[in-house]
Amino acid sequence: MTSTHALKNIRLVIIGGGPGGYEAAMVATHLGADVTLVERQGLGGSTVLTDVVPSKTLIATADAMRRVSSAVHFGVQVGAEEATADLGIVNQRLLALAKDQSSDIHAGLERAGVRIVLGEGRLEDTRTVAVKCLDGSEERLEADAVLLAVGAKARELPTAKPDGERIFNWTQIYNLQEIPEHLIVVGSGVTGAEFASAYNLLGTKVTLVSSRDHVLPGEDADAAKVLETAFERNGITVKSKVRAEAVEREGDTVKVTLNSGEVVEGSHCLVAVGGIPNTADLGLEEAGVEVGDSGHIKVDGVSRTTASGIYAAGDCTGVFALASVAAMQGRIAIAHLMGDAVKPLKLTEVSANIFTSPEIATVGVTEQEVADGKYQADIIKLDLQTNARAKMMNVSEGFVKILARKGSGTVVGGVVVAPRASELIFPIGLAVRKRLHVDDLAETFTVYPSLAGSISEAARRLHVHL
């Protein structure tokens, strides 16, 4: 059996400084490991530098525009001219914020005692990482264990190559200096829907190309319907059941050819068709790390790969493309490695949020899974139209949905569609995590008036009289 002293002196090399990597580094250092983190882009990875932090900052600006434009409904006059956004300043701010966040993470890791090596890491075997440093030097790191947290990059279509000027992937769109006249968004998943919503609120004409029947395929159908209604009301054109076959630039115009034969013309195009794991040329085969057909690293519930001593976390595993899941996978990997208390990752406990307007937050079992017979649950959906705080906030759409296991009344899932749904999903997520009864939610005091009051009210309606 490995001694506690040996565990505390374990040499851990982490490749990738995103949420999966830096969270793991902090936990491992706290538990006494000797940690070296290799990162080629900047601490925080794409999550901080090119994805979540910048995009949600952009969305916060769009939300500010929404509140200004709706101020008249509150009796507030903000001037004769319409509010406008200076996209150059907006993007300058969000990129500066991302850089500051990255610097804060870097400084925090160094204070904790993590050694940071800037460069590209590659497995030579299960215990050796070769690094090509950004300064041109090379280094070989010996390790007792390795964590791979290399993330993913934007998927590109061979017939829709981004140029960073008129045709963008989700990392390049912050190059814009002016509000696009007409943005065509290819892809109606989370990323596409979020950017479509944000740019629409910023004053852009938006066309969304969806290959499915509706936006947000795979998400709660009621939530998707609310969002589609909001899109229609706000003037977003949704092209459903069609695929983009090609995206071409002609001067200051972008033409998107659909498989229906229709050609949509706009000023700019964002191609948001998913991600590809950064697992190529990582030395996985040499180390015995198996990947799936998609290139994602295969992991178990405690983040172990098929190679002894090698773990993986984050988007490169294909589990859930969420920063929170990457961070949890990283923490779980270190707990398992260091012999700390560990519980395997449970996807039914993951809370997720789509930062559209309104926001859509989900956790646990879905209504579709109940309809498919995978679970037996009672479901209540409570519209926010009757909520007093919603009326005060001029919120006329949205709902709270709670799923409780049939017979026992245990909360197993929930959906919130509302402003700041990302905050409101937490009590339902806690109930799912701790297997609380609907009565536990119903009998917990909420502030009146509050949107959270609809959560306890929905739970009350699931109460079973004995």
Side-chain angles (χ1 to χ4, degrees):
M1 181 177 288
T2 306
S3 70
T4 303
H5 177 74
L7 283 172
K8 286 191 174 182
N9 288 304
I10 195 168
R11 296 169 301 171
L12 172 67
V13 174
I14 299 173
I15 304 178
Y22 74 73
E23 286 277 353
M26 291 295 289
V27 174
T29 302
H30 177 72
L31 293 175
D34 178 7
V35 182
T36 300
L37 188 150
V38 181
E39 168 58 40
R40 65 181 179 182
Q41 183 181 19
L43 271 297
S46 61
T47 293
V48 170
L49 293 170
T50 59
D51 188 4
V52 179
V53 170
S55 66
K56 275 48 177 182
T57 305
L58 176 73
I59 290 166
T61 301
D63 189 58
M65 289 282 288
R66 177 190 63 80
R67 284 182 278 122
V68 169
S69 64
S70 63
V72 64
H73 299 295
F74 296 86
V76 177
Q77 301 297 325
V78 293
E81 296 184 3
E82 290 186 0
T84 58
D86 187 322
L87 195 59
I89 294 176
V90 170
N91 284 339
Q92 183 180 16
R93 173 179 178 264
L94 63 85
L95 290 175
L97 193 155
K99 184 178 179 181
D100 287 347
Q101 182 70 7
S102 177
S103 296
D104 288 344
I105 295 169
H106 191 126
L109 289 172
E110 286 190 329
R111 283 196 303 270
V114 176
R115 179 178 178 236
I116 298 171
V117 178
L118 298 179
E120 293 193 18
R122 186 180 190 277
L123 293 169
E124 287 191 344
D125 52 47
T126 58
R127 296 295 181 268
T128 310
V129 175
V131 183
K132 290 184 178 180
C133 301
L134 297 186
D135 63 8
S137 63
E138 296 185 359
E139 186 174 351
R140 293 176 79 253
L141 303 172
E142 300 297 330
D144 299 305
V146 177
L147 172 67
L148 306 173
V150 294
K153 59 186 176 183
R155 179 170 171 258
E156 296 179 359
L157 301 176
T159 56
K161 290 293 185 180
D163 60 11
E165 294 180 355
R166 292 281 169 175
I167 304 172
F168 304 96
N169 62 34
W170 44 260
T171 70
Q172 301 168 326
I173 198 163
Y174 310 112
N175 295 341
L176 284 168
Q177 295 299 305
E178 296 180 353
I179 298 294
E181 179 185 345
H182 180 189
L183 178 66
I184 303 169
V185 179
V186 177
S188 61
V190 173
T191 301
E194 287 185 343
F195 276 109
S197 177
Y199 273 95
N200 170 249
L201 292 174
L202 290 172
T204 297
K205 178 183 177 182
V206 176
T207 298
L208 181 64
V209 178
S210 173
S211 62
R212 307 292 284 273
D213 294 349
H214 54 77
V215 299
L216 300 177
E219 299 292 334
D220 182 85
D222 291 329
K225 189 178 299 183
V226 170
L227 185 62
E228 283 191 329
T229 300
F231 278 1
E232 183 179 353
R233 184 184 64 250
N234 293 333
I236 295 177
T237 300
V238 178
K239 301 283 186 180
S240 301
K241 299 182 182 179
V242 290
R243 293 183 181 274
E245 290 194 335
V247 181
E248 299 172 301
R249 177 181 176 179
E250 294 184 5
D252 292 340
T253 301
V254 172
K255 293 185 177 181
V256 179
T257 303
L258 307 180
N259 61 356
S260 62
E262 181 183 1
V263 178
V264 182
E265 292 190 15
S267 61
H268 299 78
C269 179
L270 169 65
V271 181
V273 289
I276 298 174
N278 294 319
T279 52
D281 300 320
L282 194 58
L284 299 180
E285 185 176 352
E286 293 90 327
V289 177
E290 290 186 14
V291 299
D293 294 338
S294 62
H296 291 96
I297 299 171
K298 294 181 179 181
V299 293
D300 63 11
V302 291
S303 305
R304 289 179 296 187
T305 70
T306 53
S308 176
I310 299 181
Y311 297 78
D315 290 4
C316 65
T317 67
V319 175
F320 266 163
L322 295 171
S324 58
V325 172
M328 185 65 76
Q329 284 181 295
R331 291 191 292 263
I332 289 173
I334 300 308
H336 183 269
L337 170 66
M338 301 294 289
D340 199 11
V342 60
K343 292 182 179 179
L345 179 69
K346 291 186 178 180
L347 298 182
T348 54
E349 296 177 357
V350 174
S351 294
N353 193 73
I354 302 168
F355 290 85
T356 46
S357 182
E359 291 183 11
I360 299 170
T362 57
V363 66
V365 173
T366 67
E367 186 167 0
Q368 186 61 51
E369 288 175 324
V370 175
D372 292 341
K374 295 179 181 178
Y375 297 90
Q376 290 188 326
D378 294 314
I379 304 170
I380 187 72
K381 173 174 168 284
L382 188 63
D383 290 337
L384 292 179
Q385 292 177 337
T386 59
N387 180 289
R389 185 66 185 277
K391 292 177 181 177
M392 297 172 195
M393 297 169 62
N394 194 40
V395 173
S396 59
E397 57 195 1
F399 61 83
V400 170
K401 179 185 292 185
I402 295 179
L403 294 82
R405 192 177 301 279
K406 192 176 291 291
S408 71
T410 303
V411 179
V412 293
V415 182
V416 178
V417 179
R420 303 292 188 271
S422 50
E423 313 291 345
L424 291 168
I425 198 66
F426 182 73
I428 304 177
L430 183 63
V432 171
R433 174 80 172 83
K434 293 298 184 180
R435 297 178 175 81
L436 300 182
H437 193 276
V438 288
D439 291 350
D440 293 317
L441 282 179
E443 294 168 2
T444 299
F445 281 97
T446 56
V447 173
Y448 181 86
S450 69
L451 296 182
S454 288
I455 296 175
S456 62
E457 176 61 26
R460 270 192 291 277
R461 298 192 183 191
L462 285 169
H463 171 76
V464 177
H465 179 64
L466 298 178

